[in-house]
Amino acid sequence: MKTGRLKMVRVPKVWGEEHWIVNKQYCGKKLILKKNFQCSIHSHKEKDETFYVQSGLVRMEVNNKVHVMKPGDSITILPNTPHRFTGLEDSEIFEFSTTHKEEDSYRTTTSRHIDAGRFAREEEIIKRFNKTRVLVVGDIMLDTYLHGLVERLSVEAPVPVLRYEHKTHAPGGAANAARTIASLGGKVTLVGVCGKDQAATIVRTELRKAHIRAELLIDSTRSTTEKQRLAIKGYQQIARLDYETVKPLSASLEKKLIAHVRALMKNNDALLLSDYAKGVFSPSVLAACIAVAKRAGKPVLLGPKPANPAYLGAVKGVTLFVPNRVEAQVLGGDKTPPVLARWLSKTLGSNVLVTMGDKGMLLAEKGKKLLHIPTVARSVVDITGAGDTVIATCTLALAAGATFADAADLANRAAGIVVSKPGTAAPRKEELINSL
């Protein structure tokens, strides 16, 4: 039995990384392939190669024939055979071949992202996030999770008994939208109303932790909205308890809020209005906030919570209207999402992005064809806060100079990130770049 000295090499690639071992007799590699990236079309005159997919999903092109390979699949490439692999998911491939010689690689294309133009545009937009300032106005909430174990049913009623273990908190509603912007690297100021209670104190603490500037008005006659979720096995909910006051703001408090928005708008690049129908936004406040942004020449986005079609009268002129499917139906009736998106865009004279959960999104941009954006979420753990993520990412992207289509695509990818996490989560800048 012969022994030889092995050479271990780690080589960064446009499409990922190579980890390989080589001696005079053979070459063995592990290829770390990133989703949506591909190697060059190339061939070798001397060596043959066998590829074995360990994880993920890989598109292998061999002599213009396409093979979609899943874990456990393998393929052998003979000498003088043009081939290329593409990551349909983040993947790991083992490659076995005769001795590696760099001079035996003959390339006819370069390694790249499969949609190089979009990738370059969106990566540049994300890099500009840290220079972008967003003003968020809306209904502020506290998301509280009471974690514990369920081991029995109550003898008093057929309901589970949660044995309490610990509690966690996260900003919710407009505060969660602000947290998303901060997590993605943007500078954010949050304006809203809270009560004079413990929940408000906790919200302020959570906002400071997230590096969010908060301009919160106090209304001692109302409770800070708090959603307490009873959760087992991490964040699996079994019940929810809401504390809230949904009465409108007083006339004097409305004036103070509008004055805050007017004063802060000049130092921000965009305005995000997050309406959860908890009392902050009367029709007059909505219209006033939109007018402030328009006068400043800044984009204004609205996540609505309409009770009836009359809601539309106060929000004309918004730059991007972002309802979910149910909210769109409240406004336009039981129509299909494509019909609703077009109708809302025409009625408001605005761009509209309708979110549809696992069916993706529909963008109705003025003067353009309706665009369907399929979901990119691969696993759904918790949808809490996904709507906040969508409108926050859209706002940040538009403020950074993105087109509506690119902003919607980035928002879709950010939502795919947060629904794969438990609880009220926020995407990070690095995660969003990796999702491209």
Side-chain angles (χ1 to χ4, degrees), residues 187-294:
K187 296 176 177 64
V188 59
T189 301
L190 175 64
V191 174
V193 179
C194 59
K196 196 174 184 179
D197 50 24
Q198 184 182 19
T201 301
I202 296 172
V203 166
R204 290 178 186 275
T205 299
E206 294 298 319
L207 292 173
R208 280 195 296 271
K209 288 180 185 176
H211 307 290
I212 295 167
R213 176 187 174 187
E215 299 282 344
L216 306 186
L217 304 177
I218 302 297
D219 182 352
S220 58
T221 69
R222 68 195 304 121
S223 299
T224 302
T225 300
E226 180 179 7
K227 297 179 180 181
Q228 291 191 353
R229 297 172 173 91
L230 277 62
I232 60 174
K233 297 179 180 178
Y235 287 84
Q236 181 182 331
Q237 297 180 38
I238 60 172
R240 196 179 88 185
L241 177 64
D242 289 2
Y243 297 89
E244 61 185 23
T245 302
V246 296
K247 67 178 182 179
L249 302 182
S250 65
S252 61
L253 206 54
E254 282 193 351
K255 288 181 181 178
K256 287 182 181 178
L257 187 140
I258 294 168
H260 267 64
V261 175
R262 190 176 292 116
L264 292 166
M265 191 69 253
K266 60 185 177 182
N267 294 320
N268 284 276
D269 303 307
L271 175 62
L272 189 167
L273 304 177
S274 178
D275 187 4
Y276 275 86
K278 305 302 180 188
V280 166
F281 287 121
S282 65
S284 59
V285 171
L286 274 174
C289 288
I290 292 169
V292 168
K294 289 185 69 177

Side-chain angles (χ1 to χ4, degrees), residues 373-405:
I373 305 169
T375 182
V376 296
R378 285 186 290 172
S379 63
V380 177
V381 174
D382 194 331
I383 64 170
T384 304
D388 301 325
T389 301
V390 168
I391 192 169
T393 308
C394 268
T395 306
L396 190 57
L398 288 175
T403 64
F404 287 102

Side-chain angles (χ1 to χ4, degrees), residues 352-426:
V352 174
L353 181 66
V354 179
T355 62
M356 304 181 296
D358 62 356
K359 300 296 189 295
M361 305 177 182
L362 286 172
L363 175 64
E365 187 177 352
K366 291 188 293 183
K368 295 190 177 181
K369 291 182 179 180
L370 193 68
L371 176 64
H372 176 240
I373 305 169
T375 182
V376 296
R378 285 186 290 172
S379 63
V380 177
V381 174
D382 194 331
I383 64 170
T384 304
D388 301 325
T389 301
V390 168
I391 192 169
T393 308
C394 268
T395 306
L396 190 57
L398 288 175
T403 64
F404 287 102
D406 283 346
D409 182 69
L410 287 169
N412 185 46
R413 294 174 188 279
I417 293 167
V418 299
V419 299
S420 68
K421 301 179 181 183
T424 309

Side-chain angles (χ1 to χ4, degrees), residues 2-36:
K2 292 183 178 180
T3 61
R5 184 177 180 84
L6 296 179
K7 181 182 179 183
M8 299 186 66
V9 182
R10 182 175 179 176
V11 182
K13 296 287 186 178
V14 170
W15 45 261
E17 275 190 352
E18 285 183 341
H19 300 175
W20 44 279
I21 302 172
V22 61
N23 67 8
K24 292 182 178 180
Q25 286 74 42
Y26 70 89
C27 175
K29 298 182 188 178
K30 181 169 75 170
L31 312 179
I32 310 297
L33 178 58
K34 295 188 291 186
K35 179 182 177 182
N36 292 334

